[in-house]
Amino acid sequence: MNYGLLKKYTKNLNILFVEDDTDFRKEFSELLLDIFPKVTTAVDGLDALNKYKEFYENTNKYYDLIISDIKMPNYDGVELIDAIYKIKEDQLVIILSARNEFNYLLPLVNLGIHQFFTKPIDYSTFLEDIYKLCNQIYHNNLNSNIDIIKINESLVWDKKKKKLQENDKVIELTKNEIIFVDTLLNDNGKICTVDKLLDIIWADEYDLIPDITHLKSLIYRLRKKAPGLLIKNIYGMGYMHD
């Protein structure tokens, strides 16, 4: 990971960190301040929601990223993110969860979170994923009015024409593969649940009852056609672009 580029990507980002555990909030906020110059902390879900609204009132913009615990008083993570998505549907959200909180994660994935990390946090993995996410935020901000999504140095997705190109050569995709790529890349980096993908991709095929095997077969073919697409499987939840 290039720390110089990481600092470039994060220098203008505003972060809201939500955690009710005092010791972990202090420890983790110090880590975040090594990465982001602007970090606001909140002690629970209600405090976070109030600070989210206040930040918009004072700056006329929203936080670039929210990092939140799940189990908290005065709005847990599910209630907080649900309330925030009603304000800003495409808000970037990372969730921190204990290993025994898997049942909380499913509703959050359905709401549309972008990433989650299990406590205790593996800091090296966290930094690598933060680097990827901030890279995405940085280039999305640069290309906010452009129809081209740059996946890597050679692979791009044309949102308007629905074409995947590698080194300026079009990769031939089926209709369902196009829908899959379009959904994955245009959902602002959120985790796409299996049910959502099945409903969208096979919406017009009334004589077929699609299941996970149909989706896995599609992804298998797509990975062979475009290895650089980096489709990440979030076990038991869905898929996202890594």
Side-chain angles (χ1 to χ4, degrees):
M1 185 181 67
N2 187 320
Y3 282 92
L5 277 179
L6 177 62
K7 291 293 185 181
K8 175 183 177 180
Y9 296 152
T10 61
K11 67 179 181 180
N12 295 318
L13 301 186
N14 291 279
I15 310 302
L16 177 61
F17 172 47
V18 194
E19 172 62 60
D20 65 316
D21 183 286
T22 303
D23 292 336
F24 183 74
R25 184 172 64 248
K26 181 178 184 298
E27 173 191 338
F28 202 71
S29 61
E30 289 174 357
L31 169 71
L32 292 176
L33 283 167
D34 284 337
I35 307 170
F36 304 99
K38 305 166 189 174
V39 178
T40 302
T41 58
V43 299
D44 59 40
L46 186 57
D47 183 35
L49 184 59
N50 288 334
K51 286 180 175 175
Y52 188 82
K53 294 175 178 177
E54 288 170 7
F55 182 75
Y56 183 79
E57 290 172 0
N58 294 332
T59 66
N60 200 34
K61 61 182 181 180
Y62 295 103
Y63 284 102
D64 297 286
L65 177 63
I66 296 174
I67 302 174
S68 177
D69 189 21
I70 291 184
K71 294 183 72 174
M72 300 178 291
N74 301 320
Y75 277 33
D76 63 20
V78 178
E79 293 171 307
L80 171 63
I81 302 311
D82 185 39
I84 284 175
Y85 278 156
K86 288 175 180 173
I87 299 171
K88 187 175 190 292
E89 187 177 0
D90 61 350
Q91 175 65 58
L92 287 169
V93 176
I94 289 175
I95 292 294
L96 309 179
S97 72
R99 294 190 183 279
N100 62 352
E101 295 173 347
F102 185 82
N103 59 316
Y104 280 84
L105 284 173
L106 287 175
L108 284 163
V109 170
N110 287 328
L111 282 174
I113 61 169
H114 296 78
Q115 182 62 283
F116 65 88
F117 294 91
T118 304
K119 297 177 184 176
I121 303 298
D122 182 326
Y123 292 113
S124 61
T125 301
F126 179 80
L127 282 174
E128 288 173 4
D129 284 353
I130 283 291
Y131 177 86
K132 293 175 186 175
L133 185 60
C134 291
N135 181 357
Q136 172 195 323
I137 296 171
Y138 179 83
H139 287 98
N140 282 351
N141 288 340
L142 286 180
N143 302 320
S144 57
N145 296 316
I146 298 177
D147 290 324
I148 301 298
I149 296 176
K150 186 175 181 181
I151 299 167
N152 58 37
E153 291 303 315
S154 59
L155 193 65
V156 298
W157 172 249
D158 188 320
K159 295 188 289 184
K160 189 173 183 179
K161 296 180 179 178
K162 310 297 183 192
K163 290 184 181 295
L164 189 65
Q165 295 177 249
E166 188 164 26
N167 295 320
D168 297 323
K169 182 180 179 181
V170 174
I171 298 174
E172 295 298 331
L173 302 179
T174 66
K175 182 194 76 170
N176 287 349
E177 289 167 351
I178 290 171
I179 296 171
F180 176 87
V181 174
D182 194 46
T183 303
L184 208 66
L185 296 181
N186 287 294
D187 211 4
N188 196 33
K190 294 180 180 180
I191 300 170
C192 295
T193 65
V194 170
D195 287 343
K196 176 181 178 179
L197 290 167
L198 292 176
D199 288 344
I200 292 174
I201 296 169
W202 286 277
D204 297 331
E205 299 186 29
Y206 304 109
D207 58 341
L208 175 69
I209 302 176
D211 58 28
I212 186 64
T213 59
H214 293 86
L215 184 59
K216 286 182 175 179
S217 294
L218 183 151
I219 292 170
Y220 174 77
R221 295 191 302 270
L222 194 51
R223 281 174 170 156
K224 292 187 72 174
K225 291 181 180 180
L229 191 56
L230 297 180
I231 303 165
K232 185 176 182 180
N233 179 16
I234 309 299
Y235 181 75
M237 297 184 184
Y239 294 86
M240 65 184 295
H241 176 246
D242 192 357

